[in-house]
Amino acid sequence: MGGVPGGFLESMRELLGPAGVIEDTGEIEGYTTSFWRDRSGRAPLVLRPAATAEVQAIVRAAIRHKVPLVPQGGNTGLVGGGIPDGSGRMVVVSTARMDRIRGIDPHGDHLVAEAGCVLAEVQAMAAASKRLFPLSLGAEGSCRIGGNISTNAGGVNVLRWGMMRDLVLGLEVVLGDGTLWSGLRALRKDNRGYDLKQLFIGAEGTLGIITAATLKLVRPPTQRVTAWLGLYSIEAAVELYRHARDRLGDLATSFEAIAGEGVHIAQDQLDGVAAPLAGRHGWYVLVELGWGLKTGLEAVVLDWLQEAMDLGMVEDGTIAQSEAQRQAMWRIREGQSEAAAKLGAVWRSDVAVPVERIGELVDRAELALRPIVPDAVMFPFGHLGDGNLHVNLLLPGAARWDPELAQACQTALFDVVDRMGGSFSAEHGIGRSKRLELLARKDPAEIGLMRKLKAALDPHGILNPGAVI
Amino acid sequence: MGGVPGGFLESMRELLGPAGVIEDTGEIEGYTTSFWRDRSGRAPLVLRPAATAEVQAIVRAAIRHKVPLVPQGGNTGLVGGGIPDGSGRMVVVSTARMDRIRGIDPHGDHLVAEAGCVLAEVQAMAAASKRLFPLSLGAEGSCRIGGNISTNAGGVNVLRWGMMRDLVLGLEVVLGDGTLWSGLRALRKDNRGYDLKQLFIGAEGTLGIITAATLKLVRPPTQRVTAWLGLYSIEAAVELYRHARDRLGDLATSFEAIAGEGVHIAQDQLDGVAAPLAGRHGWYVLVELGWGLKTGLEAVVLDWLQEAMDLGMVEDGTIAQSEAQRQAMWRIREGQSEAAAKLGAVWRSDVAVPVERIGELVDRAELALRPIVPDAVMFPFGHLGDGNLHVNLLLPGAARWDPELAQACQTALFDVVDRMGGSFSAEHGIGRSKRLELLARKDPAEIGLMRKLKAALDPHGILNPGAVI
């Protein structure tokens, strides 16, 4: 039936006051339904602490009253890790009120943000100090730093600056026994014992509740070039990526590959989007390059592209001549699922293989999925330079995916990825929706290790039970 | 008294054969004395497994017979983490025979090396495929990959390519219960549950025995410029570093600062070393820059240096015109402790602070140490771009450091570093020699977490007990 022990509720009302406790069923729903409305759970209560000490008090009360907690950031996750299960027993702990940037040190290239800071606000704060916080992803206007850390978020700049794991210098975490670990360091090197922050990055709130983080900032590139290229095939895109690394080193900050199907749907369906190229191509590459010098990047990029065209890797291409043109290119890249949704029901995935096997992945996915959904439109796209592709499927005209059909596609695709030594969750995480796949597909030694960590760090079993492991 | 249970010895002889078991006291000594001969322990036995399955069998036998194990790589560590204590009960497990590179994939930018591979051999193997394995440090001709991973090694290229943690894509580890975790992945992104490899990186063999690793390779810079600069002060060096980042972005692969004292000692004491600059300066910077283009880097660097000289940051400077000149510059940087040892006894340290506070660190270290050792020569040097300085002291004419005096210096320096939010072990680790400092100086919440991990992953207490925690 759900509900919370009366003692817990009372102590929460006392601790957090009216602003920190949501008991209204309608209001609660916003926290128990995913951003994409494709997943929902139940909660008797949502807590909105405003300070680290309040999170600590919540965890201590939860231990006393055996109340399971679900930490939640911007609720933009894609695997249900931040929303409760259907038991009605789990209490959501939203970090949304903990949204203060505690400090920024541009000379030291770091800032300290509370878990509830919206990613876009952290980016803006960094930009105001002439720095770049490089994490960038579709949900950046809503997702929150605590969630980004807990899911080890990826996005479009991983190629140059890494995933969220690579951008965290220190953490403040409320542990599963209610103690506080104040690990907000700003050091580039620190080998004093185990690197404990690694435990909580990507743990989806199952090993501790992150309350604040020291984040690494970088110099924004002083020059940037964005190019939109038409290619014959995904193999050509992989070859072009290799060529770019051979000719330019690590100048590329993004190297995105997009199947023609998705580009054409986006160009046709999204309002105000003009096709960057006149013709249609089998695949497209959106590549962005940056460096710290004041002049000369465009010439370098043009030289490289000319050579790539002479070698037949690229059929056609254009370079953004304005920020508006650049935004239009990114709009096609980011808007594909939204565009496809206008034509039918979309099934999403997030897989990775070693970079040089991306072409093989696309072929094998097609072979495995086609017999299951003969009429689906496959529109893979993603971060080629990271070996990470979102192999998505559109069922034209359908209102929704039959769950069994979706499961069949998932099994077929994950089998392909497993056989290729890949990952069935490159950047989205495990949450609740991929937990059974994790348990079924991972090496038992690894599951055993994860269970040991979970038992050691969450001895009372109150931290997001049922997520990940 | 030491010794090992007879049953353990017999099973080891049977398992490993004569090549894998060292019982001779004289031969054992090479494994129980540190490379720098400043630390020694005792062992009844050294085991030299040749394969992962043998390591697994060793761990299982050690559990049965309650035999503590000390994993050892090249024995070049500086904190005693790889040599046994004085009990005479600990058995050394040397990975030296596990020195196979299992495979290299230049297109995929990775290779798989066994734990016993010497770092220089991994570098050479990468170079033969036109790739760079960027980890580089003084001991690279002797240290082994397993040790590099277990200590999260740093070195001179951290600024651009990170520490060892950033270069590991996957691990194969024999766990504390004798099971094998085969985590040799080659993925750039993988969010399938907890990132378990992070546990073993930097754990100094206390949580598992690493037997092999998938290592990240990068494109070597196609152009490289090495400059040797004379500056007035460490503050000028910090300012120059900032200026370099503002003007050049992340083109620097190394940015080393060296106090004049150490440079002059090296120039005077080392055979065949010519001073790169005619005059003497308060501080020196050795900066190396690289990029992936074929031309133009030297002009970019010269422009930057001209501006830095015009601004008064740099007093004098020269650019290496040959590999020999470059090597001579690095010889001064790397040879300081060796040179100082010709004049007396050297005390070493390895501390880090936020980069912009490096100047303050030098001042405060001088103030704290001078009253304790009025006659010592302080010759700090290190990786300025990482905020990591080796604040070393020479006692001219002394044969060795009085342990109490050394301890007094350590306490004084570590107190300074702690007060600055720094680390008293930036890249060397904790081992046995800094364990008490760790226990005394770290937040109890963190010590508690480390203990929980240790208990969960080494339930039988056989993995390098007495090291780190």
Side-chain angles (χ1 to χ4, degrees):
Chain A
M1 261 314 293
V4 280
F8 181 78
L9 180 57
E10 262 168 57
S11 65
M12 289 301 105
R13 282 178 184 151
E14 197 172 315
L15 174 73
L16 303 170
V21 181
I22 301 179
E23 301 178 55
D24 175 78
T25 319
E27 229 183 307
I28 287 174
E29 222 180 84
Y31 297 83
T32 57
T33 307
S34 70
F35 186 82
W36 303 100
R37 314 216 137 261
D38 57 348
R39 170 171 300 274
S40 65
R42 290 170 58 223
L45 199 62
V46 173
L47 303 175
R48 292 165 46 95
T52 299
E54 291 181 359
V55 176
Q56 228 183 328
I58 291 170
V59 169
R60 287 180 174 157
I63 294 170
R64 263 195 318 277
H65 295 282
K66 298 189 176 31
V67 173
L69 304 174
V70 188
Q72 186 180 97
N75 192 15
T76 60
L78 295 169
V79 290
I83 53 176
D85 63 19
S87 70
R89 287 189 60 245
M90 305 189 83
V91 167
V92 174
V93 180
S94 165
T95 57
R97 284 173 74 208
M98 297 181 64
D99 61 351
R100 208 162 49 92
I101 292 185
R102 292 192 192 161
I104 178 164
D105 179 347
H107 285 318
D109 294 307
H110 62 258
L111 62 74
V112 176
E114 291 185 341
C117 290
V118 169
L119 173 53
E121 284 165 15
V122 171
Q123 294 168 340
M125 180 67 97
S129 293
K130 295 189 179 167
R131 293 293 179 270
L132 173 69
F133 181 62
L135 189 77
S136 176
L137 41 89
E140 62 197 21
S142 317
C143 63
R144 295 176 191 269
I145 288 299
N148 295 145
I149 298 171
S150 292
T151 57
N152 186 27
V156 297
N157 285 332
V158 172
L159 189 61
R160 173 77 74 86
W161 292 292
M163 298 182 78
M164 191 63 175
R165 184 178 301 280
D166 303 299
L167 302 173
V168 174
L169 292 174
L171 285 181
E172 179 187 88
V173 184
V174 175
L175 306 176
D177 61 2
T179 58
L180 177 69
W181 173 46
S182 300
L184 288 177
R185 288 161 199 145
L187 300 169
R188 300 286 153 162
K189 275 173 154 181
D190 184 13
N191 274 347
R192 287 175 299 166
Y194 309 152
D195 190 1
L196 298 172
K197 66 179 179 289
Q198 305 294 345
L199 282 170
F200 305 101
I201 301 170
E204 305 187 37
T206 63
L207 301 179
I209 301 182
I210 294 167
T211 51
T214 311
L215 302 175
K216 205 187 280 186
L217 303 178
V218 301
R219 254 57 172 185
T222 45
Q223 283 206 301
R224 183 168 61 188
V225 173
T226 308
W228 180 267
L229 312 172
L231 299 90
Y232 181 69
S233 65
I234 180 72
E235 284 78 13
V238 173
E239 206 186 336
L240 180 69
Y241 173 67
R242 196 185 297 163
H243 186 254
R245 305 244 292 166
D246 285 344
R247 288 297 180 280
L248 306 174
D250 50 10
L251 290 186
T253 54
S254 302
F255 198 105
E256 305 282 310
I258 319 162
E261 287 78 359
V263 170
H264 305 148
I265 290 172
Q267 287 174 179
D268 295 346
Q269 298 298 322
L270 297 177
D271 286 340
V273 164
L277 296 176
R280 297 207 159 195
H281 302 270
W283 278 77
Y284 296 83
V285 163
L286 172 53
V287 57
E288 203 156 89
L289 308 102
W291 72 7
L293 307 184
K294 284 180 188 155
T295 55
L297 182 61
E298 187 159 315
V300 165
V301 174
L302 284 172
D303 270 359
W304 161 62
L305 282 178
Q306 189 57 56
E307 192 179 331
M309 290 184 85
D310 291 348
L311 289 168
M313 290 176 197
V314 175
E315 295 178 335
D316 196 6
T318 181
I319 286 182
Q321 295 303 324
S322 65
E323 179 60 20
Q325 283 185 11
R326 173 179 172 263
Q327 292 295 346
M329 293 172 180
W330 278 106
R331 174 80 178 116
I332 297 174
R333 160 65 184 83
E334 300 285 6
Q336 288 174 88
S337 295
E338 177 194 337
K342 298 187 179 196
L343 299 175
V346 175
W347 177 85
R348 297 155 161 249
S349 73
D350 165 43
V351 302
V353 293
V355 181
E356 76 278 22
R357 299 185 72 180
I358 279 273
E360 185 188 343
L361 168 69
V362 171
D363 289 347
R364 290 171 72 159
E366 171 77 31
L367 278 172
L369 295 169
R370 187 55 62 210
I372 304 170
V373 278
D375 302 326
V377 178
M378 187 167 129
F379 61 108
F381 61 91
H383 320 294
L384 187 143
D386 312 323
N388 176 197
L389 226 54
H390 302 293
V391 179
N392 290 5
L393 295 168
L394 163 68
L395 278 188
R400 63 176 202 96
W401 273 75
D402 172 72
E404 277 180 39
L405 199 64
Q407 182 60 51
C409 288
Q410 176 162 306
T411 301
L413 179 64
F414 288 10
D415 285 351
V416 164
V417 169
D418 275 351
R419 279 194 296 268
M420 293 179 70
S423 170
F424 60 81
S425 185
E427 51 179 15
H428 294 169
I430 296 299
R432 283 173 226 294
S433 65
K434 290 185 182 170
R435 180 172 166 266
L436 293 178
E437 296 282 2
L438 183 87
L439 296 176
R441 291 172 184 273
K442 272 234 167 174
D443 179 358
E446 189 156 347
I447 297 290
L449 257 178
M450 288 179 63
R451 289 226 161 96
K452 278 180 189 167
L453 286 181
K454 175 71 175 168
L457 294 185
D458 181 24
H460 306 285
I462 55 151
L463 295 174
N464 213 359
V468 186
I469 185 83
Chain B
M1 262 313 294
V4 279
F8 181 78
L9 179 57
E10 263 169 55
S11 66
M12 288 302 104
R13 284 178 182 148
E14 197 172 314
L15 174 73
L16 303 171
V21 181
I22 301 179
E23 301 178 53
D24 175 78
T25 319
E27 229 183 308
I28 286 174
E29 224 179 83
Y31 297 83
T32 56
T33 307
S34 70
F35 187 82
W36 302 101
R37 313 217 137 260
D38 58 346
R39 170 172 299 275
S40 65
R42 290 169 59 223
L45 199 62
V46 172
L47 303 176
R48 291 163 48 93
T52 299
E54 291 182 358
V55 176
Q56 226 183 330
I58 291 170
V59 169
R60 285 179 175 158
I63 294 169
R64 263 196 318 277
H65 295 281
K66 299 188 176 28
V67 174
L69 303 174
V70 188
Q72 185 180 97
N75 192 15
T76 59
L78 295 168
V79 291
I83 53 174
D85 62 20
S87 69
R89 288 188 62 244
M90 305 190 84
V91 167
V92 174
V93 181
S94 165
T95 57
R97 285 172 74 209
M98 298 182 62
D99 60 351
R100 208 163 49 90
I101 292 184
R102 293 192 191 161
I104 178 164
D105 180 347
H107 285 318
D109 293 307
H110 63 259
L111 62 74
V112 177
E114 290 185 341
C117 290
V118 170
L119 173 54
E121 284 164 15
V122 171
Q123 293 168 340
M125 180 67 97
S129 292
K130 296 189 179 166
R131 293 293 179 271
L132 172 72
F133 181 62
L135 190 77
S136 176
L137 41 90
E140 62 197 22
S142 317
C143 63
R144 295 176 190 271
I145 289 298
N148 295 145
I149 298 171
S150 292
T151 57
N152 185 27
V156 297
N157 286 332
V158 171
L159 189 61
R160 174 77 75 87
W161 293 291
M163 297 183 79
M164 192 62 174
R165 184 178 301 280
D166 303 299
L167 302 172
V168 174
L169 291 174
L171 285 181
E172 179 187 87
V173 183
V174 175
L175 305 177
D177 61 0
T179 58
L180 178 69
W181 174 47
S182 300
L184 288 177
R185 287 161 200 147
L187 301 170
R188 301 284 154 163
K189 275 173 156 180
D190 184 12
N191 274 348
R192 286 174 300 166
Y194 308 152
D195 189 2
L196 297 173
K197 66 178 180 291
Q198 305 295 345
L199 281 171
F200 305 101
I201 301 170
E204 304 187 38
T206 62
L207 300 180
I209 301 183
I210 294 167
T211 52
T214 311
L215 302 175
K216 204 188 282 187
L217 303 177
V218 301
R219 254 58 171 183
T222 46
Q223 284 206 300
R224 183 168 59 189
V225 173
T226 308
W228 180 267
L229 311 172
L231 298 90
Y232 181 69
S233 65
I234 179 70
E235 284 78 13
V238 173
E239 206 186 337
L240 180 68
Y241 173 67
R242 196 185 295 163
H243 186 253
R245 306 244 291 166
D246 285 343
R247 289 297 180 279
L248 306 173
D250 50 10
L251 291 186
T253 56
S254 302
F255 199 104
E256 305 283 308
I258 320 163
E261 286 78 0
V263 170
H264 305 148
I265 290 172
Q267 287 175 178
D268 296 345
Q269 299 297 322
L270 297 178
D271 286 339
V273 164
L277 296 176
R280 297 207 157 195
H281 302 269
W283 278 77
Y284 296 84
V285 163
L286 172 52
V287 57
E288 203 156 89
L289 309 102
W291 72 8
L293 306 185
K294 284 178 188 156
T295 55
L297 182 60
E298 186 160 313
V300 164
V301 174
L302 284 172
D303 270 0
W304 161 61
L305 283 178
Q306 190 56 56
E307 192 179 332
M309 290 184 85
D310 292 347
L311 289 167
M313 291 176 196
V314 175
E315 295 179 333
D316 196 5
T318 180
I319 286 181
Q321 295 302 325
S322 65
E323 179 59 20
Q325 283 184 9
R326 174 179 172 262
Q327 292 296 345
M329 293 172 180
W330 277 105
R331 174 81 178 115
I332 297 173
R333 160 64 183 82
E334 299 286 4
Q336 287 174 89
S337 295
E338 178 193 336
K342 298 187 179 198
L343 299 176
V346 175
W347 177 84
R348 297 153 160 250
S349 73
D350 165 43
V351 302
V353 293
V355 182
E356 76 278 21
R357 297 185 72 180
I358 280 273
E360 185 188 342
L361 169 68
V362 172
D363 289 346
R364 290 171 71 159
E366 171 76 31
L367 278 172
L369 294 169
R370 188 53 64 210
I372 304 171
V373 279
D375 302 326
V377 179
M378 188 168 130
F379 61 109
F381 61 92
H383 320 294
L384 187 145
D386 311 324
N388 176 196
L389 226 52
H390 302 294
V391 179
N392 290 6
L393 294 169
L394 163 68
L395 278 187
R400 62 176 203 94
W401 273 74
D402 173 72
E404 276 180 40
L405 199 63
Q407 182 59 52
C409 287
Q410 177 162 305
T411 301
L413 180 63
F414 288 11
D415 284 351
V416 164
V417 169
D418 275 351
R419 278 194 296 266
M420 293 179 69
S423 169
F424 60 82
S425 186
E427 52 180 15
H428 295 169
I430 296 299
R432 281 172 229 293
S433 66
K434 290 185 183 171
R435 180 171 167 266
L436 294 179
E437 295 282 1
L438 183 87
L439 296 177
R441 290 172 185 274
K442 272 232 167 176
D443 177 358
E446 190 157 347
I447 297 290
L449 256 177
M450 288 179 63
R451 289 225 160 96
K452 278 179 189 167
L453 286 180
K454 174 71 175 168
L457 294 185
D458 181 22
H460 306 285
I462 55 152
L463 294 174
N464 212 1
V468 186
I469 185 84

